[in-house]
PDB file of all heavy atoms in Angstrom:
ATOM      1  N   VAL A 403      21.572-128.634  86.145  1.00 86.00           N
ATOM      2  CA  VAL A 403      21.205-127.228  86.339  1.00 86.00           C
ATOM      3  C   VAL A 403      20.752-126.595  85.026  1.00 86.00           C
ATOM      4  O   VAL A 403      19.763-125.836  84.991  1.00 86.00           O
ATOM      5  CB  VAL A 403      22.404-126.456  86.934  1.00 86.00           C
ATOM      6  CG1 VAL A 403      22.136-124.958  86.926  1.00 86.00           C
ATOM      7  CG2 VAL A 403      22.679-126.922  88.340  1.00 86.00           C
ATOM      8  N   ALA A 404      21.432-126.897  83.936  1.00 84.00           N
ATOM      9  CA  ALA A 404      21.039-126.329  82.641  1.00 84.00           C
ATOM     10  C   ALA A 404      19.623-126.756  82.262  1.00 84.00           C
ATOM     11  O   ALA A 404      18.827-125.946  81.779  1.00 84.00           O
ATOM     12  CB  ALA A 404      22.022-126.765  81.559  1.00 84.00           C
ATOM     13  N   LEU A 405      19.287-128.031  82.525  1.00 86.00           N
ATOM     14  CA  LEU A 405      17.938-128.519  82.222  1.00 86.00           C
ATOM     15  C   LEU A 405      16.891-127.801  83.064  1.00 86.00           C
ATOM     16  O   LEU A 405      15.819-127.432  82.567  1.00 86.00           O
ATOM     17  CB  LEU A 405      17.868-130.033  82.457  1.00 86.00           C
ATOM     18  CG  LEU A 405      18.547-130.899  81.399  1.00 86.00           C
ATOM     19  CD1 LEU A 405      18.502-132.368  81.802  1.00 86.00           C
ATOM     20  CD2 LEU A 405      17.857-130.713  80.045  1.00 86.00           C
ATOM     21  N   VAL A 406      17.200-127.587  84.351  1.00 87.00           N
ATOM     22  CA  VAL A 406      16.257-126.879  85.223  1.00 87.00           C
ATOM     23  C   VAL A 406      16.026-125.454  84.715  1.00 87.00           C
ATOM     24  O   VAL A 406      14.877-124.979  84.629  1.00 87.00           O
ATOM     25  CB  VAL A 406      16.788-126.863  86.672  1.00 87.00           C
ATOM     26  CG1 VAL A 406      15.976-125.905  87.533  1.00 87.00           C
ATOM     27  CG2 VAL A 406      16.744-128.261  87.270  1.00 87.00           C
ATOM     28  N   VAL A 407      17.113-124.764  84.367  1.00 85.00           N
ATOM     29  CA  VAL A 407      16.982-123.378  83.887  1.00 85.00           C
ATOM     30  C   VAL A 407      16.167-123.326  82.592  1.00 85.00           C
ATOM     31  O   VAL A 407      15.291-122.467  82.416  1.00 85.00           O
ATOM     32  CB  VAL A 407      18.382-122.755  83.676  1.00 85.00           C
ATOM     33  CG1 VAL A 407      18.267-121.375  83.033  1.00 85.00           C
ATOM     34  CG2 VAL A 407      19.113-122.649  85.004  1.00 85.00           C
ATOM     35  N   VAL A 408      16.414-124.266  81.677  1.00 83.00           N
ATOM     36  CA  VAL A 408      15.677-124.290  80.412  1.00 83.00           C
ATOM     37  C   VAL A 408      14.200-124.587  80.645  1.00 83.00           C
ATOM     38  O   VAL A 408      13.324-123.934  80.062  1.00 83.00           O
ATOM     39  CB  VAL A 408      16.294-125.341  79.458  1.00 83.00           C
ATOM     40  CG1 VAL A 408      15.399-125.560  78.249  1.00 83.00           C
ATOM     41  CG2 VAL A 408      17.675-124.893  79.008  1.00 83.00           C
ATOM     42  N   LEU A 409      13.906-125.550  81.509  1.00 85.00           N
ATOM     43  CA  LEU A 409      12.505-125.910  81.766  1.00 85.00           C
ATOM     44  C   LEU A 409      11.744-124.762  82.422  1.00 85.00           C
ATOM     45  O   LEU A 409      10.566-124.528  82.114  1.00 85.00           O
ATOM     46  CB  LEU A 409      12.445-127.158  82.658  1.00 85.00           C
ATOM     47  CG  LEU A 409      12.869-128.470  81.976  1.00 85.00           C
ATOM     48  CD1 LEU A 409      12.901-129.613  82.982  1.00 85.00           C
ATOM     49  CD2 LEU A 409      11.913-128.807  80.830  1.00 85.00           C
ATOM     50  N   VAL A 410      12.406-124.044  83.319  1.00 85.00           N
ATOM     51  CA  VAL A 410      11.728-122.930  83.996  1.00 85.00           C
ATOM     52  C   VAL A 410      11.592-121.729  83.062  1.00 85.00           C
ATOM     53  O   VAL A 410      10.533-121.097  82.983  1.00 85.00           O
ATOM     54  CB  VAL A 410      12.491-122.533  85.281  1.00 85.00           C
ATOM     55  CG1 VAL A 410      11.877-121.281  85.907  1.00 85.00           C
ATOM     56  CG2 VAL A 410      12.478-123.684  86.277  1.00 85.00           C
ATOM     57  N   ALA A 411      12.664-121.407  82.331  1.00 79.00           N
ATOM     58  CA  ALA A 411      12.643-120.214  81.468  1.00 79.00           C
ATOM     59  C   ALA A 411      11.830-120.443  80.197  1.00 79.00           C
ATOM     60  O   ALA A 411      11.169-119.522  79.708  1.00 79.00           O
ATOM     61  CB  ALA A 411      14.076-119.812  81.116  1.00 79.00           C
ATOM     62  N   ARG A 412      11.898-121.655  79.624  1.00 77.00           N
ATOM     63  CA  ARG A 412      11.190-122.020  78.394  1.00 77.00           C
ATOM     64  C   ARG A 412      11.519-121.096  77.229  1.00 77.00           C
ATOM     65  O   ARG A 412      10.723-120.885  76.330  1.00 77.00           O
ATOM     66  CB  ARG A 412       9.679-122.052  78.628  1.00 77.00           C
ATOM     67  CG  ARG A 412       9.242-123.174  79.533  1.00 77.00           C
ATOM     68  CD  ARG A 412       7.773-123.160  79.753  1.00 77.00           C
ATOM     69  NE  ARG A 412       7.358-121.957  80.464  1.00 77.00           N
ATOM     70  CZ  ARG A 412       6.102-121.603  80.673  1.00 77.00           C
ATOM     71  NH1 ARG A 412       5.131-122.354  80.208  1.00 77.00           N
ATOM     72  NH2 ARG A 412       5.818-120.509  81.336  1.00 77.00           N
ATOM     73  N   ASP A 413      12.669-120.459  77.272  1.00 73.00           N
ATOM     74  CA  ASP A 413      13.089-119.578  76.178  1.00 73.00           C
ATOM     75  C   ASP A 413      14.597-119.378  76.303  1.00 73.00           C
ATOM     76  O   ASP A 413      15.068-118.877  77.317  1.00 73.00           O
ATOM     77  CB  ASP A 413      12.374-118.232  76.268  1.00 73.00           C
ATOM     78  CG  ASP A 413      12.762-117.312  75.122  1.00 73.00           C
ATOM     79  OD1 ASP A 413      13.433-117.793  74.186  1.00 73.00           O
ATOM     80  OD2 ASP A 413      12.397-116.124  75.174  1.00 73.00           O
ATOM     81  N   LEU A 414      15.348-119.774  75.271  1.00 69.00           N
ATOM     82  CA  LEU A 414      16.807-119.696  75.352  1.00 69.00           C
ATOM     83  C   LEU A 414      17.348-118.325  74.979  1.00 69.00           C
ATOM     84  O   LEU A 414      18.479-117.995  75.323  1.00 69.00           O
ATOM     85  CB  LEU A 414      17.435-120.754  74.435  1.00 69.00           C
ATOM     86  CG  LEU A 414      17.166-122.218  74.781  1.00 69.00           C
ATOM     87  CD1 LEU A 414      17.846-123.127  73.779  1.00 69.00           C
ATOM     88  CD2 LEU A 414      17.649-122.517  76.189  1.00 69.00           C
ATOM     89  N   SER A 415      16.581-117.538  74.236  1.00 64.00           N
ATOM     90  CA  SER A 415      17.145-116.312  73.681  1.00 64.00           C
ATOM     91  C   SER A 415      16.675-115.049  74.384  1.00 64.00           C
ATOM     92  O   SER A 415      17.084-113.960  74.024  1.00 64.00           O
ATOM     93  CB  SER A 415      16.797-116.210  72.183  1.00 64.00           C
ATOM     94  OG  SER A 415      15.399-116.204  72.011  1.00 64.00           O
ATOM     95  N   GLY A 416      15.816-115.167  75.388  1.00 66.00           N
ATOM     96  CA  GLY A 416      15.277-113.974  76.019  1.00 66.00           C
ATOM     97  C   GLY A 416      15.963-113.630  77.329  1.00 66.00           C
ATOM     98  O   GLY A 416      16.806-114.369  77.837  1.00 66.00           O
ATOM     99  N   VAL A 417      15.557-112.476  77.875  1.00 74.00           N
ATOM    100  CA  VAL A 417      16.099-112.043  79.160  1.00 74.00           C
ATOM    101  C   VAL A 417      15.686-113.022  80.265  1.00 74.00           C
ATOM    102  O   VAL A 417      16.399-113.200  81.241  1.00 74.00           O
ATOM    103  CB  VAL A 417      15.579-110.624  79.471  1.00 74.00           C
ATOM    104  CG1 VAL A 417      16.040-110.162  80.840  1.00 74.00           C
ATOM    105  CG2 VAL A 417      16.058-109.650  78.401  1.00 74.00           C
ATOM    106  N   ARG A 418      14.507-113.676  80.093  1.00 79.00           N
ATOM    107  CA  ARG A 418      14.020-114.600  81.115  1.00 79.00           C
ATOM    108  C   ARG A 418      15.018-115.716  81.385  1.00 79.00           C
ATOM    109  O   ARG A 418      15.208-116.133  82.524  1.00 79.00           O
ATOM    110  CB  ARG A 418      12.678-115.183  80.665  1.00 79.00           C
ATOM    111  CG  ARG A 418      12.000-116.014  81.731  1.00 79.00           C
ATOM    112  CD  ARG A 418      10.555-116.289  81.360  1.00 79.00           C
ATOM    113  NE  ARG A 418      10.441-116.905  80.043  1.00 79.00           N
ATOM    114  CZ  ARG A 418       9.294-117.057  79.408  1.00 79.00           C
ATOM    115  NH1 ARG A 418       8.187-116.596  79.953  1.00 79.00           N
ATOM    116  NH2 ARG A 418       9.248-117.637  78.221  1.00 79.00           N
ATOM    117  N   PHE A 419      15.675-116.219  80.341  1.00 79.00           N
ATOM    118  CA  PHE A 419      16.660-117.287  80.508  1.00 79.00           C
ATOM    119  C   PHE A 419      17.806-116.824  81.410  1.00 79.00           C
ATOM    120  O   PHE A 419      18.231-117.539  82.325  1.00 79.00           O
ATOM    121  CB  PHE A 419      17.194-117.705  79.138  1.00 79.00           C
ATOM    122  CG  PHE A 419      18.231-118.783  79.185  1.00 79.00           C
ATOM    123  CD1 PHE A 419      17.886-120.099  79.458  1.00 79.00           C
ATOM    124  CD2 PHE A 419      19.566-118.484  78.971  1.00 79.00           C
ATOM    125  CE1 PHE A 419      18.844-121.093  79.507  1.00 79.00           C
ATOM    126  CE2 PHE A 419      20.531-119.465  79.023  1.00 79.00           C
ATOM    127  CZ  PHE A 419      20.173-120.766  79.291  1.00 79.00           C
ATOM    128  N   VAL A 420      18.295-115.608  81.170  1.00 79.00           N
ATOM    129  CA  VAL A 420      19.400-115.087  81.981  1.00 79.00           C
ATOM    130  C   VAL A 420      18.952-114.834  83.413  1.00 79.00           C
ATOM    131  O   VAL A 420      19.664-115.158  84.371  1.00 79.00           O
ATOM    132  CB  VAL A 420      19.962-113.789  81.348  1.00 79.00           C
ATOM    133  CG1 VAL A 420      21.042-113.185  82.232  1.00 79.00           C
ATOM    134  CG2 VAL A 420      20.507-114.073  79.966  1.00 79.00           C
ATOM    135  N   LEU A 421      17.735-114.275  83.570  1.00 82.00           N
ATOM    136  CA  LEU A 421      17.254-113.979  84.926  1.00 82.00           C
ATOM    137  C   LEU A 421      17.035-115.256  85.735  1.00 82.00           C
ATOM    138  O   LEU A 421      17.394-115.327  86.917  1.00 82.00           O
ATOM    139  CB  LEU A 421      15.952-113.175  84.844  1.00 82.00           C
ATOM    140  CG  LEU A 421      16.095-111.750  84.290  1.00 82.00           C
ATOM    141  CD1 LEU A 421      14.738-111.072  84.196  1.00 82.00           C
ATOM    142  CD2 LEU A 421      17.044-110.929  85.161  1.00 82.00           C
ATOM    143  N   VAL A 422      16.448-116.277  85.104  1.00 83.00           N
ATOM    144  CA  VAL A 422      16.281-117.559  85.804  1.00 83.00           C
ATOM    145  C   VAL A 422      17.642-118.144  86.154  1.00 83.00           C
ATOM    146  O   VAL A 422      17.862-118.679  87.252  1.00 83.00           O
ATOM    147  CB  VAL A 422      15.468-118.543  84.939  1.00 83.00           C
ATOM    148  CG1 VAL A 422      15.479-119.945  85.559  1.00 83.00           C
ATOM    149  CG2 VAL A 422      14.045-118.057  84.779  1.00 83.00           C
TER     150      VAL A 422
END
Side-chain angles (χ1 to χ4, degrees):
V403 170
L405 285 176
V406 169
V407 174
V408 170
L409 289 175
V410 174
R412 292 179 295 172
D413 182 9
L414 296 180
S415 59
V417 176
R418 188 167 55 191
F419 179 74
V420 176
L421 292 177
V422 171

